[in-house]
Amino acid sequence: MISLTSPVKTKAHDWPAAAKLAGLCVMTMILFFIEDLALQAVFFCCVLVLYALPGSRFLRAGLGPLKLLWPFIVIVAIWHLWTNEIALGAIVILRLVSAVALANLMTMTTRLSDMIDVVRSLTRPLNQLGLKPNVLELAIALVIRLTPVLVQKGTHLSDAWRARSRRKAGWRIILPFTVVALDDADHVAEALRARGGFDPLEST
């Protein structure tokens, strides 16, 4: 999941979060059972249609962040070209992009609080085992909320590099990006402590 809730209101925003999460799980499972390249391509086209239905603004907002997948796509493509399994590589790439796009579509049309409520309901039985699901709830919320923030900061670092050099940034921004991520983690930890901290042993 790499986007926050979309500013464009769609009908899917009013659907129950539990139903959308269940649908996401089912569709992802179906993806991994499809071994035919043509069917994978059809599935991917259907995902694109889902993005296009709410309009061009929603389409751009949804597909833009998917560009972050290009390093993984390149690695998969190079490997399968090396092993001479081009069709299999195409299937893996389509499966990867479709799965991430579906998860991204859910986060765009679902409030974070609604997703956390679903997680809380699913993990409530863990209380009977002495485990505290509030740790998982917080972790999911932080991942969903902070991932787009880090993506945006990584983009700003790349833009700053391009403004100062004709060479591509590439690996050169890894170190400053790591520093930025660690700095954000410190700020989040300080914010949690300022609000009373977070004790995983406390009951929810």
Side-chain angles (χ1 to χ4, degrees), residues 120-200:
R120 182 178 294 115
S121 299
L122 293 175
T123 57
R124 189 171 295 133
L126 296 178
N127 284 315
Q128 305 301 321
L129 301 176
L131 303 176
K132 302 304 177 183
N134 54 345
V135 177
L136 179 60
E137 295 171 15
L138 179 64
I140 292 175
L142 289 177
V143 169
I144 294 176
R145 179 63 186 90
L146 294 180
T147 297
V149 174
L150 291 176
V151 168
Q152 185 179 38
K153 291 188 176 182
T155 302
H156 290 165
L157 285 173
S158 296
D159 292 341
W161 176 273
R162 284 194 294 269
R164 292 167 174 80
S165 175
R166 294 182 179 180
R167 295 182 299 174
K168 293 183 178 180
W171 58 270
R172 298 174 182 83
I173 66 169
I174 293 178
L175 180 58
F177 180 77
T178 301
V179 173
V180 168
L182 292 175
D183 186 58
D184 282 358
D186 284 338
H187 286 316
V188 171
E190 290 174 2
L192 288 173
R193 283 195 294 268
R195 289 162 176 77
F198 180 75
D199 185 356

Side-chain angles (χ1 to χ4, degrees), residues 78-127:
I78 292 175
W79 172 256
H80 285 88
L81 285 172
W82 177 265
T83 59
N84 199 27
E85 297 177 317
I86 299 176
L88 178 59
I91 291 174
V92 173
I93 291 173
L94 287 172
R95 182 181 292 151
L96 169 65
V97 177
S98 296
V100 175
L102 286 172
N104 188 51
L105 188 61
M106 178 181 172
T107 62
M108 291 182 68
T109 59
T110 310
R111 291 190 299 270
L112 179 58
S113 58
D114 291 341
M115 286 190 281
I116 296 303
D117 287 341
V118 174
V119 174
R120 182 178 294 115
S121 299
L122 293 175
T123 57
R124 189 171 295 133
L126 296 178
N127 284 315

Side-chain angles (χ1 to χ4, degrees), residues 70-81:
W70 74 261
F72 305 99
I73 294 174
V74 170
I75 292 173
V76 172
I78 292 175
W79 172 256
H80 285 88
L81 285 172

